[in-house]
Amino acid sequence: MILVTGGAGFIGANFVLDWLAQSDEPVLNLDKLTYAGNLENLSPLASDPRHVFVQGDIGDSALVAGLLAQYQPRAVLNFAAESHVDRSIHGPEDFIQTNVVGTMRLLQAVRAYWQALDEVPRTAFRFLHVSTDEVYGSLAPEDAAFTEVNKLEPNSPYSASKAASDHLVRAWHHTYGLPVLTTNCSNNYGPLHFPEKLIPLLIVNALAGKPLPVYGDGLQVRDWLYVKDHCSAIRRVLESGQVGELYNVGGWNEKPNIEIVHTVCSLLDELRPKADGTAYQTQITHVQDRPGHDRRYAIDASKIERELGWRPSETFESGIRKTVQWYLDNPDWVAHVQSGAYREWVQTQYAGQPAPAPAAVYP
Ligand code: NAD
Ligand code: TYD
């Protein structure tokens, strides 16, 4: 079997669901169930014996050692993390605790387990660490996209904690020989995305008649990857990636935020037109920018294509349509995740921001 950490979160849950849709190899899923972890994401597996869920912390060394000894996984895939930049600005402590200390403890437990394996399973074993393009820092408009040899220049508490974890993974390979793989991926979007992140926040706010908050001028650029494509890339790297290597994963979809906002609004105008006949873009509101906001991320994903033959299968147009449709089809999921904890966060992050102003029309 494989051990997945953080498998009740957005990407981890998509990964577990896709994995078990394509393979009968069981999954041991270790997740702390923070505000971002949601067992409802895994409800299709509720009575599936191939999925074993354990609530716990990657930083709990005794728990992780016990699980490794009991279940003897052939690979560990580390998705568990605190993942939201804005939360890291308000409170970096949890990010250091999970992303840095937690990763270190997980690496230590995995190393002890791996070293004690017999030669054949030891040789086949892999530790795959899921990281982000944000560790590379911010690009100027004319800069080439990030490749795997870019320096790590993280700018937010979140990206600094992820960069630290990437360094730890590298060091556990270099020093102890642990067979690691690291993926650095761009912004994911798709089903099960918690509505604190841009795309799901836009959809749920639009439907609720609330402001669509655009930080600053909205011209910050991100590369967007449909989550199912990220999952297929991780499977590919696990299967055939070269030990010790990094693989950038991206969608070849660089877009300014304001374009994303207008695309979501147009899709909603088409799929769920407002009763009063007004366009969703009238809800767009420019709000105060994020402190230290990285201006541009862009991923050069040619290494994974060249060496492992992976390319994303969704275009942004096909992926965003599926995503908007998924949120329209799953109002109960949305209602459940908008719990008390979610409402508290919205109050912390967006309190005092202006009500919707008439939007500038985007070309
Ligand atoms: P998420 O916040 O939706 O989910 C994180 C999951 O980890 C949650 O289920 C949470 O309960 C769990 N978790 C948190 N702390 C834990 C701990 N100490 N022990 C065990 N479980 C813990 O995040 P996501 O968007 O699914 O991201 C998954 C991974 O992918 C993260 O490592 C993130 O840095 C990385 N990543 C995300 C994106 C993106 O666009 N979302 C892009 C690139 C990389
Ligand atoms: P986010 O989804 O938080 O991902 P990340 O910060 O990891 O890239 O944000 C994506 C972009 O959207 C980022 O440039 C910040 C911006 N943004 C807004 O303009 N408004 C919002 O309410 C949010 C959450 C994000």
Side-chain angles (χ1 to χ4, degrees):
M1 65 154 43
I2 59 167
L3 167 56
V4 166
T5 72
F10 163 49
I11 304 173
N14 273 288
F15 180 85
V16 171
L17 292 167
D18 284 9
W19 179 271
L20 291 173
Q22 297 178 30
S23 141
D24 273 335
E25 186 175 13
V27 176
L28 173 61
N29 187 346
L30 172 65
D31 195 297
K32 189 177 173 183
L33 296 182
T34 67
Y35 77 93
N38 180 1
L39 277 183
E40 199 175 332
N41 294 346
L42 300 160
S43 55
L45 304 174
S47 54
D48 191 326
R50 300 171 305 163
H51 179 239
V52 180
F53 183 81
V54 175
Q55 182 174 6
D57 193 320
I58 56 167
D60 182 341
S61 305
L63 172 70
V64 176
L67 291 172
L68 291 168
Q70 185 181 350
Y71 290 96
Q72 301 274 308
R74 70 167 176 98
V76 174
L77 287 80
N78 185 32
F79 294 82
E82 289 293 337
S83 68
H84 189 34
V85 173
D86 293 319
R87 285 186 191 255
S88 81
I89 294 168
H90 285 281
E93 190 85 32
D94 287 347
F95 288 73
I96 303 306
Q97 206 52 47
T98 283
N99 301 0
V100 186
V101 178
T103 302
M104 180 275 291
R105 292 202 183 132
L106 179 66
L107 283 164
Q108 281 290 71
V110 170
R111 174 168 75 93
Y113 162 74
W114 165 75
Q115 280 174 332
L117 289 172
D118 290 340
E119 194 182 335
V120 173
R122 193 169 65 237
T123 307
F125 184 83
R126 297 288 181 270
F127 180 93
L128 190 151
H129 180 61
V130 179
S131 191
T132 165
D133 59 358
E134 303 194 23
V135 297
Y136 295 121
S138 185
L139 293 168
E142 67 281 6
D143 288 343
F146 302 128
T147 70
E148 292 79 356
V149 298
N150 274 62
K151 271 194 301 182
L152 303 198
E153 294 180 325
N155 293 318
S156 71
Y158 163 66
S159 56
S161 69
K162 289 297 289 187
S165 69
D166 293 9
H167 283 314
L168 293 173
V169 170
R170 176 189 160 92
W172 260 243
H173 173 62
H174 191 80
T175 305
Y176 306 110
L178 188 70
V180 305
L181 299 156
T182 299
T183 54
N184 292 89
C185 185
S186 56
N187 285 53
N188 285 219
Y189 67 100
L192 309 177
H193 205 182
F194 192 76
E196 65 184 354
K197 306 277 171 69
L198 179 67
I199 288 179
L201 184 94
L202 292 171
I203 301 170
V204 304
N205 277 17
L207 293 172
K210 292 184 179 162
L212 306 180
V214 175
Y215 296 167
D217 61 9
L219 296 178
Q220 305 85 0
V221 172
R222 300 289 183 265
D223 172 71
W224 294 92
L225 178 69
Y226 192 61
V227 64
K228 305 281 180 192
D229 278 329
H230 187 193
C231 296
S232 75
I234 291 171
R235 288 198 302 273
R236 191 78 200 100
V237 171
L238 179 65
E239 195 173 64
S240 304
Q242 181 120 8
V243 164
E245 290 290 310
L246 311 179
Y247 294 92
N248 281 356
V249 185
W252 302 103
N253 279 312
E254 261 190 75
K255 299 203 180 290
N257 291 338
I258 194 71
E259 187 179 326
I260 303 290
V261 180
H262 282 272
T263 302
V264 169
C265 288
S266 314
L267 278 167
L268 287 170
D269 287 335
E270 176 196 328
L271 299 170
R272 182 66 58 84
K274 288 210 265 184
D276 65 5
T278 59
Y280 284 99
Q281 63 167 321
T282 56
Q283 290 169 231
I284 296 173
T285 313
H286 286 265
V287 300
Q288 201 179 355
D289 208 352
R290 170 187 283 172
H293 198 167
D294 283 339
R295 200 67 185 160
R296 174 174 167 240
Y297 305 138
I299 276 274
D300 179 338
S302 43
K303 176 177 171 180
I304 188 171
E305 178 169 358
R306 194 175 56 247
E307 297 187 7
L308 305 181
W310 176 89
R311 260 192 85 82
S313 61
E314 299 288 345
T315 62
F316 187 70
E317 290 64 35
S318 63
I320 192 71
R321 180 173 284 276
K322 284 184 184 173
T323 303
V324 170
Q325 191 62 57
W326 187 87
Y327 280 84
L328 292 174
D329 292 344
N330 288 278
D332 290 348
W333 183 93
V334 172
H336 295 164
V337 297
Q338 291 179 306
S339 64
Y342 177 77
R343 282 197 295 278
E344 265 169 45
W345 165 250
V346 170
Q347 186 57 27
T348 307
Q349 176 66 3
Y350 300 100
Q353 299 287 6
V361 176
Y362 184 72

